[in-house]
Amino acid sequence: MDMSKFSQDAATFLKSVFREAIREELNAMPRFQPYPLADRIGGYELAEEVTSYRGQTLRNKVSQGEIPSFKQGGKRFFSEKTLREWMTVNYHPMKQEAVANAHTLVVKPTRKAKAKR
């Protein structure tokens, strides 16, 4: 038997043995369970931080019922967890983002294209 063929077969066999052993060890290890984020409750400052909406825009969206919030003792409160969930479902780019994206789509004519006119 050719020694190089034997070496290749032995290497393939050892790789499979090591892979299986590693797989078994990894499956036996406890799974990492990240701690859930603490849900912060706050006023308009928290909502501005989480949503990036500012002042009157945020208040308008709250009065129209677009943003989840609750009132207690005459004050408006927001839950960070609820706001983040709301944002993943109801995300609409802000005007500045839409304008920035529009500029990337506009193709400016080159000097050669202008000269041909």
Side-chain angles (χ1 to χ4, degrees):
M1 180 174 196
D2 184 20
M3 287 303 285
S4 64
K5 175 69 174 155
F6 178 76
S7 297
Q8 289 175 346
D9 290 344
T12 303
F13 174 74
L14 287 175
K15 282 182 187 178
S16 66
V17 169
F18 284 128
R19 280 189 184 134
E20 186 60 33
I22 291 170
R23 209 174 273 128
E24 288 175 8
E25 286 297 318
L26 288 174
N27 287 334
M29 293 174 67
R31 299 276 181 209
F32 173 72
Q33 296 294 328
Y35 292 106
L37 293 176
D39 189 19
R40 294 190 302 165
I41 304 294
Y44 280 98
E45 300 80 25
L46 176 67
E48 288 179 6
E49 175 189 329
V50 173
T51 64
S52 297
Y53 288 126
R54 297 289 176 237
Q56 195 58 45
T57 302
L58 187 60
R59 285 172 173 74
N60 289 342
K61 290 189 175 291
V62 167
S63 68
Q64 294 170 1
E66 293 181 27
I67 295 181
S69 64
F70 62 95
K71 271 185 127 173
Q72 187 172 355
K75 293 183 179 181
R76 178 78 51 191
F77 291 95
F78 302 88
S79 158
E80 180 179 16
K81 181 180 174 186
T82 305
L83 285 173
R84 292 200 185 281
E85 289 171 358
W86 173 82
M87 287 177 58
T88 58
V89 175
N90 298 299
Y91 176 75
H92 300 291
M94 295 174 56
K95 183 177 180 181
Q96 298 88 345
E97 291 174 312
V99 170
N101 291 337
H103 286 297
T104 62
L105 299 175
V106 174
V107 178
K108 295 181 181 178
T110 62
R111 289 184 180 178
K112 290 180 183 178
K114 287 181 183 178
K116 290 182 181 179
R117 288 187 194 173

